[in-house]
Amino acid sequence: MEKKTFVSTRNACKLCAPFGSTLVFKGIEGALPFIHGSQGCATYIRRYMISHFREPVDIASSSLGESATIFGGRKNLSAGLKNVMKQYNPKMIGIATNCLSETIGENIEQYIKEFQSNDKAYSKIPLVGVSAPSYKGTHQTGFHEAVRSVVKTLVKRKGERKKLLSILPGFVSCEDLRHLKEILEDFGLDYTLLPDYSETLDGVFWNEYRKIPEGGTPIRRIKEMGMSKAVIELGKSLLKSESAGSWLSKEFDIPYYNLPLPIGIQESDRFFKTLEKVKGFPMPEKYKKERGRLLDAYIDGHKYLFGKKAVIYGDEDFVASMASFVSEIGVIPVLCASGEDRLKETLKTLIDPKIMDQIEVLPSSDFMEIAEKAEVLKPDVFIGSSKGYFMARKMKVPLMRAGFPIHDRMGGQRMLHLGYKGTQMLFDRLVNIFIEVKQETSPVGYSYI
Amino acid sequence: MAVVLEERKDQVLRLENGAKDIVCEKESLAGSVSQRACVFCGSRVVLYPIADALHLIHGPIGCAAYTWDIRGALSSGPELHRISFSTDLTETDVIYGGEKKLYQALSELIDEYKPKAAFVYSTCIIGIIGDDVQSVCKKAAKEKNIPVLPVHSEGFKGIKKDGYKAACDALYRLMDENKDEEYLEDNPFTINIMGDFNLAGETWMIKEYYQKMGIKVITALTGDSRVDEIKKCRHAKLNIVQCSGSMMSLAKKMKEVYGIPYIKVSYFGIEDVSDALYQVALFFNDKTVLEKTQELVRSEIERIYPKILEYRKALEGKKAAVYVGGAFKAFSLIKALKTIGMKTEIVGSQTGNQEDYKLLREVSGEGTIIVDDTNPLELSGFIREKKVQILIGGVKERPIAYKMGIGFCDHNHERKTALAGFQGMLNFAYEVYSTVESPVWKWTQPDYL
Ligand code: SF4
Ligand code: SF4
């Protein structure tokens, strides 16, 4: 790991573990996220999600107070679970611990077992516990830990192998999830996508407040994942030991494909080829056309892009695939940064070594460090979440908002990044940024460019 | 009817014949989705606007990440407060203690940013891992020769109000440790504005009113304030306290120790803001000040009132719900809504006390529902029952209103439009008007309206 210049973190480029875990729980049908720990974290996490998704996000908390931290939170947890069951009538409760409950040594697995055996009336609703101390990782850790816990808790029987494809997309946008579903359906694949918060966090207008929004991966479908004929898991930053996909693969002997997020031609090709392999058919005409149009656009726009410098920041898998995409079109990802610590390894899995040489990689970094580096590198564009706005503004460099969170624009949840179509949208936006700069800074005021 | 959990029944009050007292100031019920934050949140709100101080959050990353730049507390000069500093504790720190890291972080940040003072916020796990924050602060203060003040804001040790108290304690220490500093001022009429945080420039507006009246504001606690001003503010003749929750403990302390009297005011709504100015004028009982105040109030009302009447025409008889952090703000809102012809059907706060709720009862009409520490399910039930058309609250309440198809107005710390003062009343009226009158509701009208 590279040495950080500061011991402290200045404007973090990461969030904490329970954030990721609750997001996963939001993507399961009828599930309610629950944080076992202090109240504040749940409220802050809700607020943070609401500002991006602009949807109700109910996260319950066991509200540990002072006495609970001395005598343990067992009582709060069981009282809390009962209350939530009464009020929300959930089909599942996903329980994440937080820093406080972990530090006082709460054993969530144990508590869940006790709770379920103590009172038969409450044992019908599945409870999934995940240990999410933030000091052990980031929101991504919490996300993947939760997916793994869900799978490990719910997938039990080993039945006959079905034509089912299990797909674990990682932390992507609601629109990305919808697009993935569209692709899988067009391929005629029977699939389970976990998690799927495309409806729960980007739903329709309701008229009447609902306890738990519609949508999410059906629990029944999760249970069947052990019978899949293939597992696709997106995200190369995942360590095998942490990944739900590799657990499924090992436990049930299922072929496993761990792919980068499909952004850009190279990675979208890889993704579609994998689907072709799983299905045994070539990809539908529709996607061949999408791919063809994208290539056509690459050619149309290449002159505006050559040699431009981009600073890309955010979650490792997002940064890696984004860097791969921009280097396909002549933009140099001069700086790739993340609050996570395996960025270099992740980048190396998909970026050409020649391009790697041009990239400065900042793992375990924060926004002030990114800003300071950017001052030196003088990029032409920033690519990442709205959290980079302050530096983009200061340096008067355009920011192409992508990934999470988008707190200062509408529609972050509806932004598409994946596949040929997602790449097409990113491409058009990126090239237009440079065209606009050219147009705005020209004394002529060209109306054709 | 709204679902109210048995244990919460006493925290809901319907103003009907023979209604009993409401129960408040309780720990949130385990398992409910409280809209409350935590102790840390309270401290952060109060101290955050001090723009030339270093605000270091000691703990794991989340608490700092979620509060980065979320409040619109403006500064006319330095903006150090807008950087979110954290010790970002990791597992080893949790096991071996975070003191060393805290010390290093303080040293490097003070060297780099040269703040006038530093506040160190302890979050949840700090007390549990046993860090002696006090002595680290002492050491750093001595070495760097600036005040370094611990803020004991472990989230689980109470509610937001306790965080206000912790912040007030830190402010008091800042004054008291520097009480020998001299202060020269010709103007005999000196005040401090307390409990205003310069959201959307509100402190500036209020300061300008007092200046026009011939009164010198030594500092605002803490809107757009500076460490040096705060050190001297004990020389004021009068403290003007807004927002009963956050600064009362400091005002009481300053009265007790320095003999500075205080008055409680609110700057929301025409009546309250006029009253706030008159009370100050009457306190100094100076003819010129009184005349200037009359002139100011008259000209301001003349300026805004005709426009308000226009909005009132459209809003007459419409129904509102108010759910805010502190109860004091709720009174003003009820009155302000009355000014524009609207009735408040539901009113509540996260942290009101018995005295607050008594006053709320007095200003609320028959049939009003009063709630303490409510949650989305309850609130939405009451909104339906009362056929409310606009909800006034914070960002966490926004999706509740929107999903139900009714209007929403942000009256929390994140707002970007000034709502205080005379202009603020006009802005408020316009915001309510533009919300209620928007044509979008035509498509989403709830079935009960
Ligand atoms: S204490 Fe831990 S879980 Fe809570 S907000 Fe902070 S980092 Fe996140
Ligand atoms: S409850 Fe504790 S850990 Fe959570 S945000 Fe508040 S201070 Fe931080």
Side-chain angles (χ1 to χ4, degrees):
Chain A
M1 204 163 52
E2 270 165 51
K3 211 180 143 307
K4 255 216 269 183
T5 34
F6 277 74
V7 172
S8 54
T9 294
R10 303 167 300 153
N11 290 347
C13 185
K14 60 179 176 186
L15 300 167
C16 68
F19 181 95
S21 305
T22 46
L23 192 67
V24 170
F25 299 140
K26 282 297 291 178
I28 295 171
E29 191 178 67
L32 187 82
F34 188 110
I35 293 180
H36 178 49
S38 27
Q39 165 67 50
C41 320
T43 302
Y44 277 133
I45 289 170
R46 291 177 60 209
R47 200 209 61 87
Y48 206 86
M49 285 190 191
I50 289 172
S51 299
H52 173 88
F53 293 104
R54 297 170 194 272
E55 288 285 315
V57 180
D58 284 8
I59 300 171
S61 151
S62 51
S63 302
L64 296 188
E66 270 198 285
S67 62
T69 60
I70 300 166
F71 303 112
R74 190 185 257 109
K75 263 212 327 278
N76 278 59
L77 181 69
S78 77
L81 289 174
K82 286 178 190 170
N83 279 333
V84 158
M85 288 177 182
K86 253 189 271 171
Q87 247 190 330
Y88 282 84
N89 201 11
K91 289 194 192 132
M92 184 196 113
I93 301 176
I95 309 160
T97 56
N98 79 345
C99 297
L100 180 66
S101 51
E102 287 288 333
T103 312
I104 60 173
E106 303 274 282
N107 183 339
I108 190 73
E109 297 287 324
Q110 179 66 27
Y111 284 5
I112 289 179
K113 263 194 212 129
E114 279 174 23
F115 179 82
Q116 289 184 320
S117 58
N118 280 351
D119 202 331
K120 284 282 166 270
Y122 296 110
S123 64
K124 284 194 203 73
I125 298 169
L127 302 177
V128 176
V130 54
S131 151
S134 220
Y135 45 78
K136 270 194 198 163
T138 69
H139 58 294
Q140 284 285 352
T141 323
F143 186 100
H144 293 293
E145 279 289 322
V147 178
R148 196 175 145 86
S149 293
V150 168
V151 167
K152 281 177 83 174
T153 314
L154 298 179
V155 185
K156 288 257 161 61
R157 27 194 188 105
K158 199 173 161 180
E160 202 158 311
R161 181 128 314 164
K162 290 194 174 173
K163 283 216 180 95
L164 183 75
L165 167 69
S166 285
I167 173 156
L168 310 167
F171 183 10
V172 295
S173 81
C174 295
E175 194 66 34
D176 288 330
L177 292 173
R178 281 191 287 265
H179 187 49
L180 286 175
K181 291 199 280 191
E182 183 192 353
I183 296 172
L184 296 170
E185 269 151 35
D186 287 342
F187 262 90
L189 281 158
D190 186 19
Y191 63 89
T192 298
L193 176 73
L194 176 74
D196 176 10
Y197 40 81
S198 61
E199 302 299 313
T200 55
L201 289 175
D202 190 21
V204 298
F205 167 66
W206 289 347
N207 215 323
E208 188 177 331
Y209 196 77
R210 305 223 175 118
K211 297 181 180 184
I212 296 175
E214 279 171 353
T217 317
I219 292 171
R220 175 177 52 81
R221 301 288 295 185
I222 300 174
K223 287 186 177 160
E224 292 172 356
M225 284 169 94
M227 298 180 275
S228 310
K229 74 168 188 181
V231 181
I232 296 180
E233 191 165 42
L234 301 181
K236 283 303 233 186
S237 69
L238 283 169
L239 288 183
K240 281 247 159 88
S241 60
E242 297 169 352
S243 115
S246 50
W247 181 84
L248 273 173
S249 152
K250 230 177 51 218
E251 196 72 16
F252 302 103
D253 193 24
I254 307 170
Y256 172 62
Y257 304 92
N258 177 215
L259 310 175
L261 291 174
I263 304 176
I265 295 275
Q266 175 184 293
E267 295 313 324
S268 297
D269 280 352
R270 205 195 300 262
F271 177 71
F272 278 94
K273 285 222 177 75
T274 309
L275 292 183
E276 286 178 344
K277 197 163 153 197
V278 172
K279 181 70 188 174
F281 284 126
M283 67 175 155
E285 194 57 29
K286 177 176 163 191
Y287 298 100
K288 283 188 198 140
K289 288 228 167 101
E290 280 181 7
R291 185 178 191 277
R293 266 195 296 273
L294 179 60
L295 288 177
D296 203 56
Y298 272 19
I299 296 168
D300 290 341
H302 72 279
K303 285 194 195 308
Y304 301 103
L305 299 163
F306 185 79
K308 291 282 190 286
K309 293 183 287 181
V311 167
I312 308 173
Y313 56 86
D315 295 347
E316 286 167 348
D317 290 310
F318 165 83
V319 172
S321 288
M322 210 44 123
S324 157
F325 156 58
V326 302
S327 44
E328 285 177 353
I329 53 175
V331 173
I332 311 159
V334 285
L335 177 63
C336 286
S338 175
E340 296 177 84
D341 60 4
R342 288 197 293 267
L343 183 59
K344 199 166 223 157
E345 296 78 344
T346 310
L347 279 163
K348 275 189 184 154
T349 59
L350 59 158
I351 305 275
D352 188 284
K354 264 199 249 118
I355 292 167
M356 259 327 261
D357 289 345
Q358 305 180 343
I359 304 178
E360 201 158 329
V361 185
L362 277 185
S364 306
S365 61
D366 57 38
F367 275 104
M368 292 308 278
E369 197 184 1
I370 299 171
E372 284 154 11
K373 259 282 141 52
E375 293 276 359
V376 181
L377 293 169
K378 304 208 176 339
D380 301 294
V381 69
F382 284 100
I383 301 176
S385 73
S386 65
K387 295 294 153 196
Y389 175 65
F390 82 100
M391 54 184 177
R393 178 185 169 103
K394 186 165 167 237
M395 291 178 64
K396 298 195 171 64
V397 169
L399 164 63
M400 181 168 101
R401 287 169 180 77
F404 178 91
I406 310 294
H407 283 160
D408 62 355
R409 288 288 185 277
M410 286 281 158
Q413 72 277 50
R414 287 182 291 275
M415 201 180 273
L416 185 61
H417 310 79
L418 304 187
Y420 302 119
K421 197 169 158 196
T423 307
Q424 180 77 69
M425 290 184 167
L426 292 171
F427 178 85
D428 290 345
R429 287 174 61 208
L430 188 60
V431 84
N432 282 337
I433 284 176
F434 295 123
I435 291 178
E436 189 174 333
V437 169
K438 193 168 173 171
Q439 187 177 37
E440 292 286 312
T441 50
S442 123
V444 183
Y446 295 108
S447 58
Y448 282 89
I449 280 197
Chain B
M1 269 291 244
V3 219
V4 182
L5 284 172
E6 195 53 43
E7 296 87 331
R8 283 200 29 83
K9 291 233 154 93
D10 295 337
Q11 281 169 280
V12 174
L13 175 71
R14 285 168 186 273
L15 288 189
E16 291 150 357
N17 282 338
K20 353 180 254 242
D21 280 349
I22 196 165
V23 170
C24 52
E25 296 187 281
K26 280 213 322 196
E27 253 178 36
S28 292
L29 184 63
S32 60
V33 180
S34 167
Q35 305 291 80
R36 275 182 186 168
C38 62
V39 179
F40 162 68
C41 176
S43 299
R44 185 101 167 105
V45 174
V46 169
L47 298 174
Y48 172 75
I50 306 173
D52 57 353
L54 176 84
H55 300 270
L56 175 61
I57 300 168
H58 184 35
I61 196 62
C63 329
Y66 302 127
T67 52
W68 172 22
D69 213 24
I70 59 174
R71 299 181 195 282
L74 305 185
S75 163
S76 53
E79 291 200 319
L80 188 54
H81 66 306
R82 293 184 66 183
I83 308 178
S84 166
F85 297 106
S86 166
T87 49
D88 193 357
L89 297 186
T90 58
E91 198 171 11
T92 27
D93 303 320
V94 173
I95 297 167
Y96 299 107
E99 285 173 29
K100 206 170 120 218
K101 198 167 190 188
L102 173 61
Y103 172 72
Q104 286 172 336
L106 270 172
S107 307
E108 68 183 12
L109 293 173
I110 294 171
D111 288 347
E112 173 80 16
Y113 294 97
K114 315 222 163 5
K116 287 282 164 38
F119 293 98
V120 177
Y121 304 77
S122 307
T123 61
C124 275
I125 65 167
I126 299 308
I128 292 167
I129 63 175
D131 279 3
D132 185 353
V133 175
Q134 187 101 17
S135 38
V136 176
C137 290
K138 227 185 216 161
K139 186 168 165 207
K142 208 159 157 211
E143 285 175 18
K144 305 292 175 192
N145 205 21
I146 60 162
V148 179
L149 302 151
V151 186
H152 301 289
S153 52
E154 283 93 341
F156 66 91
K157 290 190 177 167
I159 57 174
K160 199 166 164 188
K161 256 190 197 169
D162 302 289
Y164 295 151
K165 173 81 174 43
C168 286
D169 290 347
L171 286 171
Y172 174 70
R173 277 187 58 181
L174 184 59
M175 290 171 206
D176 207 56
E177 281 171 8
N178 297 284
K179 62 171 171 278
D180 301 329
E181 279 189 28
E182 261 189 82
Y183 180 70
L184 299 172
E185 173 62 51
D186 298 334
N187 190 333
F189 311 126
T190 51
I191 60 169
N192 298 313
I193 297 172
M194 295 175 79
D196 194 274
F197 306 111
N198 203 30
L199 306 175
E202 288 175 346
T203 305
W204 294 333
M205 223 151 64
I206 294 158
K207 255 190 189 167
E208 200 189 309
Y209 294 152
Y210 288 126
Q211 263 155 18
K212 280 188 180 157
M213 290 158 53
I215 282 162
K216 161 87 188 170
V217 177
I218 299 185
T219 191
L221 291 163
T222 52
D224 192 22
S225 65
R226 303 290 180 273
V227 172
D228 283 340
E229 291 171 6
I230 296 171
K231 285 181 182 171
K232 291 177 196 143
C233 74
R234 62 181 191 88
H235 294 280
K237 299 274 177 12
L238 179 66
N239 279 331
I240 322 291
V241 197
Q242 158 166 263
C243 177
S244 59
S246 65
M247 287 259 162
M248 268 322 281
S249 73
L250 183 62
K252 283 183 182 154
K253 187 89 188 172
M254 288 175 81
K255 184 174 176 194
E256 178 193 315
V257 184
Y258 309 125
I260 307 173
Y262 63 84
I263 50 175
K264 276 164 91 172
V265 303
S266 161
Y267 300 108
F268 295 111
I270 297 181
E271 284 172 48
D272 285 2
V273 64
S274 310
D275 195 49
L277 304 183
Y278 278 128
Q279 276 199 58
V280 175
L282 287 170
F283 174 87
F284 289 114
N285 200 14
D286 175 89
K287 201 163 153 270
T288 345
V289 171
L290 264 167
E291 276 170 15
K292 282 185 186 161
T293 308
Q294 273 162 348
E295 172 52 31
L296 171 72
V297 171
R298 187 171 1 95
S299 69
E300 282 293 301
I301 293 181
E302 267 170 21
R303 182 173 71 86
I304 66 166
Y305 205 63
K307 289 184 203 156
I308 285 183
L309 285 181
E310 271 172 46
Y311 300 136
R312 188 185 166 120
K313 252 187 246 152
L315 296 171
E316 195 77 59
K318 301 237 149 106
K319 294 170 176 178
V322 171
Y323 186 70
V324 287
F328 208 63
K329 189 149 77 188
F331 306 132
S332 301
L333 281 169
I334 294 177
K335 284 193 257 176
L337 286 163
K338 225 181 245 168
T339 310
I340 49 176
M342 294 179 70
K343 172 155 193 312
T344 306
E345 296 281 349
I346 302 158
V347 59
S349 81
Q350 293 166 20
T351 56
N353 62 24
Q354 216 39 264
E355 199 185 324
D356 297 332
Y357 284 113
K358 240 178 226 138
L359 283 168
L360 261 187
R361 272 179 91 148
E362 280 165 26
V363 293
S364 301
E366 180 73 22
T368 309
I369 298 177
I370 300 182
V371 287
D372 177 62
D373 185 26
T374 190
N375 56 61
L377 279 187
E378 261 180 35
L379 193 57
S380 62
F382 294 138
I383 287 174
R384 260 189 94 73
E385 182 188 329
K386 289 291 182 183
K387 304 191 191 326
V388 160
Q389 284 145 309
I390 186 168
L391 170 66
I392 297 169
V395 172
K396 291 188 299 293
E397 283 80 44
R398 184 178 63 202
I400 304 174
Y402 284 0
K403 277 293 181 203
M404 297 181 73
I406 65 165
F408 172 80
C409 166
D410 187 356
H411 211 291
N412 211 335
H413 285 272
E414 290 165 56
R415 64 174 182 269
K416 305 289 181 292
T417 312
L419 298 176
F422 297 101
Q423 182 59 39
M425 178 64 209
L426 189 58
N427 295 346
F428 176 68
Y430 178 72
E431 191 171 340
V432 174
Y433 167 78
S434 63
T435 302
V436 173
E437 290 295 293
S438 164
V440 299
W441 310 120
K442 184 183 154 214
W443 309 100
T444 63
Q445 191 84 283
D447 45 11
Y448 59 78
L449 285 179

